[in-house]
Amino acid sequence: NAGVTQTPKFRILKIGQSMTLQCTQDMNHNYMYWYRQDPGMGLKLIYYSVGAGITDKGEVPNGYNVSRSTTEDFPLRLELAAPSQTSVYFCASGLKDRRGGEQFFGPGTRLTVL
Amino acid sequence: KNEVEQSPQNLTAQEGEFITINCSYSVGISALHWLQQHPGGGIVSLFMLSSGKKKHGRLIATINIQEKHSSLHITASHPRDSAVYICAVNSGGGADGLTFGKGTHLIIQP
């Protein structure tokens, strides 16, 4: 199993450009998450999905959109990139039991908006 | 909203020392996670626990639900343990995305 994969690893965008961060998992997990990690701060939840066709906002959703057409894929879309979106983005997937559930993280995408 | 605090923020120790990293949270949880982030950036799950104690190799994690506190211990520390250690909690609600502490940056010197 490849686990959780993310592309690209690095990207530089100009202000106002758009892009999609790709995330794929091959563990048949229903739950998938997008987090961002800013220097000196804890990771924050952007969006999550509990299964194909179902998504919802997390703590910091503004400026982002997601879709979940399949169990495997959970892309994150930035429509009009802003410098405040410079961050490292992590996708994660997991199963959920009554305690919460372990999450498996992708390698991250380092995004710079100039 | 749960607040997760870790201490210390930075820790430098000599090889072989016993290491303790602490985590406290403000609201009751269903589970607490300890994660490791290496300089390359990848994040790996070390432990998920909801009570008591877990051990894996030289790593030990404990949690006290009443005191809302958890500790991660590393015995016989080694330079390869150098990483950022992150505490995170499941607080319930929604799909139960994690709430994270800011991490503890650990450096083990030879």
Side-chain angles (χ1 to χ4, degrees):
Chain A
N1 286 351
V4 180
T5 58
Q6 291 183 238
T7 57
K9 284 188 168 51
F10 304 94
R11 183 74 185 267
I12 298 175
L13 281 183
K14 293 182 180 178
I15 294 172
Q17 286 186 320
S18 300
M19 77 164 293
T20 299
L21 282 66
Q22 302 291 347
C23 174
T24 300
Q25 54 94 7
D26 62 359
M27 296 173 282
N28 202 33
H29 288 161
N30 279 341
Y31 291 81
M32 295 188 74
Y33 309 84
W34 274 106
Y35 298 98
R36 60 177 287 172
Q37 184 179 39
D38 299 317
M41 304 295 291
L43 283 82
K44 293 191 186 300
L45 181 64
I46 305 171
Y47 269 95
Y48 64 89
S49 170
V50 302
I54 307 170
T55 63
D56 207 346
K57 296 177 181 178
E59 186 182 354
V60 289
N62 290 347
Y64 307 95
N65 277 299
V66 294
S67 60
R68 183 99 181 267
S69 57
T70 67
T71 298
E72 295 77 20
D73 300 306
F74 189 41
L76 178 72
R77 178 84 177 159
L78 284 71
E79 288 295 347
L80 291 169
S84 61
Q85 294 176 305
T86 294
S87 189
V88 181
Y89 292 84
F90 288 95
C91 178
S93 73
L95 299 170
K96 189 167 180 288
D97 59 25
R98 61 180 175 79
R99 299 170 304 162
E102 184 179 3
Q103 293 187 20
F104 298 82
F105 289 81
T109 294
R110 186 174 294 274
L111 175 68
T112 302
V113 182
L114 300 175
Chain B
K1 181 181 182 299
N2 221 330
E3 301 291 336
V4 179
E5 298 288 339
Q6 285 185 239
S7 63
Q9 286 187 307
N10 298 283
L11 178 58
T12 300
Q14 296 299 121
E15 183 174 356
E17 286 189 37
F18 181 83
I19 303 299
T20 296
I21 299 170
N22 296 300
C23 175
S24 61
Y25 51 92
S26 57
V27 179
I29 61 171
S30 54
L32 182 141
H33 303 249
W34 282 103
L35 309 164
Q36 181 189 56
Q37 185 171 29
H38 271 284
I43 297 173
V44 174
S45 177
L46 297 174
F47 295 103
M48 182 180 75
L49 62 167
S50 52
S51 65
K53 176 179 172 178
K54 287 190 175 181
K55 185 174 188 291
H56 183 221
R58 295 180 294 105
L59 300 178
I60 303 166
T62 64
I63 188 168
N64 184 318
I65 296 294
Q66 287 73 29
E67 294 186 4
K68 297 185 178 63
H69 181 269
S70 175
S71 293
L72 176 69
H73 305 286
I74 305 174
T75 62
S77 59
H78 189 276
R80 66 175 174 267
D81 297 325
S82 298
V84 176
Y85 292 84
I86 302 171
C87 174
V89 299
N90 292 103
S91 302
D96 217 7
L98 296 173
T99 301
F100 296 81
K102 293 181 180 179
T104 294
H105 188 194
L106 175 65
I107 297 173
I108 304 297
Q109 295 177 335

